[in-house]
Structures are given as structure tokens and as C-alpha cells.
Amino acid sequence: MRALKTLNILSTSPVLQRSACRSAPFFLQQDLSDCSPPDAPANKRMSTGCMPPQSQSPSTPRSTPTFSYRIGASFSAKGRRFDPKKNIFTFNIQRQITSEQDVFTGRLNSGQDAFFVSRAGNSGNVAFGVADGVGGWADQGIDSADFSHGLCQAMAKVTRELHSPDKNGLWPQFILGNAYQEIVREGKIDGGGSTACVATGDEEGNLKVANLGDSGFIHFRLNAVHHFSNPQTHAFNTPFQLSVIPPKILALSRLFGGKQLSDSPEDSNDTSHEVRHGDVLIFATDGVWDNLSTCELLKIVSHQMTGFHAWKTGEKGTTVSEMIHDLTQDGGIPKQHENSLQTLLAVNVVGEAKAASMNTKRDGPFAKEVQKFYPHEDYHGGKVDDICVIVAIVVENK
């Protein structure tokens, strides 16, 4: 969402209407090699392609503690009423449920946004993530929903087939890269582009994240923001994206002498984190980040975590309650359709983002960015968009 550099883009330009679609620039008149985010870590680009990094020495597994990731999701398509009873998903690692069954026939009602959650092989490790189809491809008659949903289906498949003893395979860039290669190799999707934010979490509390584009994540710990990701953009409203370029677009590229934009999984911003008991992780598409600030998200999370006494505040400050074990189980919150705390949190975030996106009087983060870089546009209010949220609550195994 944040503008790094304005580019001369043929046939496309940032769309600033209230239902603004992000650009899918097919022809760039200049080299993009200097457009990496200035705050990206030095090891963001990896020469090993889609292969995971090799361990330098064998690691000694820790016997305790071990962690599980209690995961719920919610979503709402642009232009459709949000139904908190139906637009939800709760992951159960014992039943190996994943979010996508078939990219064309089993698609969730989430518009161009998609997500996946999957167990890694037969282990207690998990992978999950969101993908956001870039709406600018519609100018070429292409629905990027096929690409984003297909990418999530492929990532779930790659994760399920991982061998649990192989810790190198539990690496988000490896999952993203192999899923993207599968999409290209199969050739079932004619074209489109998508951002992605993918994570892997192991039982030892190691969380790894690969973020490409302007989807992202935020990490809460004991009533405070512990970490959040930064978006990757080539220009305002033009995120990094994986793409499948149709032959006719490639032909036009050769004709005009431009360069089509298609980033690589290697371009993702990769980070590693150690999670603790009671941490809350939110992964979301830009339908959240364009409409809710970090402080607003903290307020939502804090209200639910303290309201249900998963976090408790006393003389020693904020601590994690024993109640968190039951609250994050199926049926942990009885008499509600969101019957677990993580799913309830996901529903609350989607609901608040949906309301903010349609509020014409309240300027959200996207509106403030437009006003900063394009003051003549007189843009106000929220940004209507598809919204997809995954919430993971980290729980130490008893």
C-alpha cells in the first residue's frame, strides 16, 4: 500500500476510486531492480531458488515446552453481505481439514481473496497463509480469483506431502515456491496475479513467515504489538505479486518493448520469530490493512482476549490464563457459532474491517495514503475490498 517509487506504467495506473483495485502492471518502461523496499533485510533475496536453507549443524530438539497453533479464519467478499455464521472456518489438526477442496468447484465465498491451513505431513507442525488476487488483471479480462485460490490449494497440497522428519521442508518460501511452480506447470490457470503471506509453525515454537506484496501479518503478545510486517510495493497500489502471464500479453510486451511484471517467491520478505504461550497471530489481506490501523487491531484483540479471560491483568501485569486451553478448543465458547476464541477473533476483525471499508466519513489507512501522495484526489472514507483473515493462538501443550 505504501508508495516507494512512481513508475511509468503503460496501459495501467493506480485506481483511486472507492472500490479501488490494485494495479497489475504488465509493461514497465524501466528496470525494477532498484525497487526493493529500503527496510528489507539483507538476506531477503536467496540464491538457492525455492530450495530451503540447509542446516549448518544438527540441532538438539527441545523436550519442553511444545506448542500447538489453534487456528480459525473468516472472510467476506466485496459487494456481499458478511455472514458471521457461514463465513468462518476452524482448523482441527486431528482431522486434517484444509480450506480448499477444488479451485473451481470447492471455492469459498471470499472473492479474489483465499487462504489455506494444513498440517505438515503427520507431524504437529502447521502451515497457513492468505493470498489476494490482484484486481487490476480484470482490465485484461482475467479473474485473479482463479490464481489466488489455486495457489492456496497448491500450498495446502505441498504442506500435506511434507515428510515430518525433514525440518528443512517446513519453510514458507519453499512451500510458496513449489506451489507456484505447480500452478505454472499444470497450465490450468490462463493468467492472473496474487500477493501471498505464508507461515509455518513448528511444535518448538519457531514461526517462519514469507510475505510477498501487501498482504501481511501482525503478532500480539500480552496486550501489546510484538511485531508487524511491512508491505512490498513497486509503486502506489501496485504490490509485489506472483503472476501467470498469458501469451497474448507476452506478445504485446515484445511489441512495445516493455517488461511484464512478475515477481518471484525469492522476492518475499522472510522473517523468523519465536512464539510464546498466549501469543495471537493475525494474517490478513489488504482489505484489513487498508481499513484498520495497528492500534484498532490491538483494541479488537485485547477486548476479546481479556473479555474471555484468556489474558488476565493483575499485580504482575498481563499474563496468560489457564482458561486459554479450553477457550481455543472446539466448543470452547458455547452457544455461539464462532465456538472457539480464535474463530471469534477472526470474525471480529473481518466485521470491523468490513464496516470501516463502507464508512464514507472515516478515513482509514488507505485514504490517508492517498491524501499524502495524491492530495488532489480528495479521497475520503474506507476502501471496499475482499477481506480474508486467519487468526492463530499459540498454546503450550500440557
Side-chain angles (χ1 to χ4, degrees):
M1 184 182 68
R2 296 172 177 79
L4 297 180
K5 190 173 182 180
T6 302
L7 304 178
N8 179 18
I9 301 173
L10 180 65
S11 302
T12 61
S13 61
V15 182
L16 301 180
Q17 288 77 18
R18 193 163 307 283
S19 58
C21 292
R22 296 163 303 162
S23 297
F26 304 115
F27 312 119
L28 303 183
Q29 302 304 314
Q30 63 184 89
D31 184 16
L32 293 176
S33 60
D34 62 340
C35 292
S36 298
D39 56 347
N43 63 346
K44 180 178 71 66
R45 293 180 180 272
M46 305 191 69
S47 61
T48 54
C50 293
M51 293 304 294
Q54 299 300 314
S55 300
Q56 298 299 316
S57 59
S59 58
T60 303
R62 288 177 284 172
S63 57
T64 57
T66 61
F67 300 91
S68 61
Y69 301 79
R70 312 288 173 85
I71 300 173
S74 185
F75 47 88
S76 180
K78 178 171 60 178
R80 298 181 184 177
R81 184 181 296 274
F82 174 52
D83 187 343
K85 294 183 179 179
K86 295 181 179 179
N87 294 14
I88 57 176
F89 168 84
T90 302
F91 176 69
N92 187 320
I93 196 169
Q94 301 302 324
R95 294 199 296 266
Q96 183 56 298
I97 303 172
T98 52
S99 63
E100 301 281 350
Q101 298 301 318
D102 184 86
V103 62
F104 300 111
T105 62
R107 182 182 301 173
L108 296 169
N109 186 20
S110 56
Q112 293 181 332
D113 286 4
F115 71 94
F116 83 99
V117 188
S118 181
R119 184 179 178 180
N122 295 319
S123 71
N125 306 326
V126 295
F128 50 92
V130 295
D132 185 358
V134 178
W137 282 86
D139 295 337
Q140 306 297 322
I142 295 172
D143 183 4
S144 282
D146 291 343
F147 187 93
S148 58
H149 285 264
L151 183 64
C152 283
Q153 181 187 9
M155 286 192 287
K157 180 175 180 289
V158 171
T159 305
R160 287 195 304 268
E161 293 175 353
L162 288 176
H163 299 294
S164 54
D166 183 10
K167 286 296 184 68
N168 283 331
L170 196 68
W171 185 54
Q173 196 181 87
F174 174 84
I175 294 171
L176 179 62
N178 280 273
Y180 177 58
Q181 290 178 359
E182 182 72 12
I183 293 289
V184 174
R185 181 169 57 250
E186 286 185 347
K188 295 180 180 179
I189 296 173
D190 296 330
S194 178
T195 68
C197 187
V198 186
T200 58
D202 66 23
E203 294 178 288
E204 297 174 359
N206 299 305
L207 180 78
K208 299 177 183 178
V209 181
N211 185 45
L212 183 81
D214 58 4
S215 293
F217 81 102
I218 189 167
H219 181 179
F220 298 98
R221 175 173 294 165
L222 297 179
N223 223 6
V225 176
H226 186 65
H227 180 85
F228 61 89
S229 61
N230 289 311
Q232 293 176 306
T233 59
H234 291 294
F236 182 82
N237 216 27
T238 307
F240 280 40
Q241 57 197 268
L242 299 178
S243 302
V244 171
I245 312 294
K248 64 178 182 179
I249 301 296
L250 292 173
L252 287 172
S253 174
R254 289 190 292 269
L255 178 64
F256 286 97
K259 178 182 178 182
Q260 68 278 3
L261 174 61
S262 181
D263 298 298
S264 164
E266 289 183 307
D267 295 318
S268 63
N269 190 359
D270 301 330
T271 55
S272 298
H273 314 267
E274 289 188 4
V275 296
R276 296 180 184 174
H277 180 54
D279 284 1
V280 176
L281 312 169
I282 294 180
F283 286 70
T285 57
D286 70 333
V288 170
W289 313 116
D290 286 345
N291 291 296
L292 297 177
S293 68
T294 299
C295 291
E296 288 168 326
L297 286 167
L298 174 59
K299 184 178 179 180
I300 295 169
V301 172
S302 177
H303 178 72
Q304 297 299 332
M305 293 295 287
T306 58
F308 282 95
H309 306 292
W311 288 342
K312 59 182 181 180
T313 303
E315 295 180 356
K316 297 182 179 180
T318 303
T319 57
V320 182
S321 166
E322 280 296 316
M323 294 179 66
I324 200 169
H325 291 277
D326 293 331
L327 289 167
T328 53
Q329 296 283 2
D330 287 346
I333 302 179
K335 298 182 181 180
Q336 287 194 215
H337 41 269
E338 320 96 333
N339 65 357
S340 66
L341 183 55
Q342 60 271 24
T343 307
L344 178 64
L345 277 171
V347 166
N348 273 263
V349 172
V350 172
E352 291 292 332
K354 185 82 170 182
S357 73
M358 297 184 292
N359 188 335
T360 59
K361 297 181 179 180
R362 171 195 169 278
D363 289 345
F366 181 79
K368 293 175 182 177
E369 288 289 294
V370 175
Q371 293 163 11
K372 178 180 179 181
F373 293 100
Y374 300 92
H376 60 280
E377 291 288 339
D378 194 31
Y379 187 104
H380 293 283
K383 181 191 174 190
V384 177
D385 202 353
D386 301 322
I387 301 169
C388 186
V389 173
I390 291 177
V391 173
I393 298 180
V394 182
V395 176
E396 184 176 328
N397 297 323
K398 291 184 177 181

